[in-house]
Amino acid sequence: MNEYLKIFLSSMLVDNVILIQFLALCPFIGMTSDTGKATGMGIATSFVMILATAVTWPIYMFILKPLELEFLQTLIFILVIASLVQLVEFYLKKSAPALYSSMGVYLALITTNCAILAVTLNAISKNYNFLESIVYSLGSAGGFLLSMILMSGIRKKMKSAPVPDFVKGTPILFVAAGLLSLAFGGFSGLIK
């Protein structure tokens, strides 16, 4: 149990996909203007991330590796992720049309979200077993969601803050993201 907690906390805080690995910056900047949209995007991406890991790990271990087709790993993983995004898109369109329309193009961009592909590839490269891979993806998904919510809160505060004209807009967002990244860098001594 201690090993699973270590994997979870490490992937969520110490090796955060957005703030430490600098992946998925497009939705991080594009979808955090509103906490509701940021949470919806974080949950949708997290769902796809966890499900993609649960599907790609067995495909790699039981099909690609025994047949020595490891070179197809990235292609197969992208196809699996694209299929899962389509399922999420259909579900959101039926069950949460307001969230579906507010996410716009960013929902389709989950397909090309490098964080999802990175988590599935990392689970394999770290030689995790199936359960460890799921725990790793849960932690990574939690870290993704946490980053999105934190940035949306920071952006909400920045709306009422006196920001100099020369850094208004995207520049101040990257400054805030850099400071948030530095704060997460402090977690590096947490797990040994």
Side-chain angles (χ1 to χ4, degrees):
M1 184 55 128
N2 188 25
E3 186 65 28
Y4 295 121
L5 184 60
K6 182 178 173 183
I7 292 170
F8 180 81
L9 289 176
S10 178
S11 61
M12 184 175 189
L13 302 173
V14 177
D15 204 21
N16 186 286
V17 290
I18 294 178
L19 299 172
I20 301 300
Q21 296 182 39
F22 301 110
L23 299 171
L25 292 179
C26 182
F28 181 65
I29 296 299
M31 288 296 294
T32 53
S33 60
D34 176 64
T35 305
K37 286 197 291 187
T39 304
M41 180 64 158
I43 290 170
T45 303
S46 296
F47 177 75
V48 171
M49 191 178 290
I50 294 162
L51 200 55
T53 302
V55 172
T56 57
W57 190 91
I59 288 173
Y60 180 83
M61 290 299 176
F62 301 122
I63 298 172
L64 298 179
K65 195 173 180 182
L67 296 175
E68 296 181 4
L69 297 172
E70 292 96 339
F71 64 93
L72 292 174
Q73 176 183 14
T74 304
L75 177 66
I76 299 296
F77 285 16
I78 289 172
L79 291 173
V80 168
I81 292 166
S83 301
L84 293 173
V85 169
Q86 288 299 310
L87 290 174
V88 169
E89 195 170 343
F90 292 144
Y91 176 77
L92 285 178
K93 194 173 191 178
K94 292 285 186 190
S95 66
L99 179 61
Y100 173 79
S101 63
S102 74
M103 290 175 87
V105 70
Y106 290 101
L107 184 59
L109 286 176
I110 293 175
T111 302
T112 59
N113 190 331
C114 54
I116 296 171
L117 182 60
V119 168
T120 59
L121 294 173
N122 284 345
I124 300 294
S125 69
K126 291 177 185 262
N127 292 319
Y128 288 150
N129 63 34
F130 183 73
L131 191 54
E132 290 171 338
S133 295
I134 297 301
V135 170
Y136 175 76
S137 66
L138 278 168
S140 296
F144 183 88
L145 181 60
L146 177 65
S147 300
M148 295 290 284
I149 292 171
L150 285 173
M151 189 59 166
S152 70
I154 290 170
R155 287 183 75 166
K156 187 175 181 180
K157 289 289 186 186
M158 281 195 301
K159 287 179 184 174
S160 62
V163 177
D165 289 337
F166 71 95
V167 290
K168 279 190 177 176
T170 307
I172 194 67
L173 295 179
F174 281 109
V175 170
L179 292 172
L180 195 54
S181 178
L182 282 172
F184 267 69
F187 290 120
S188 63
L190 181 68
I191 307 292
K192 293 187 183 208

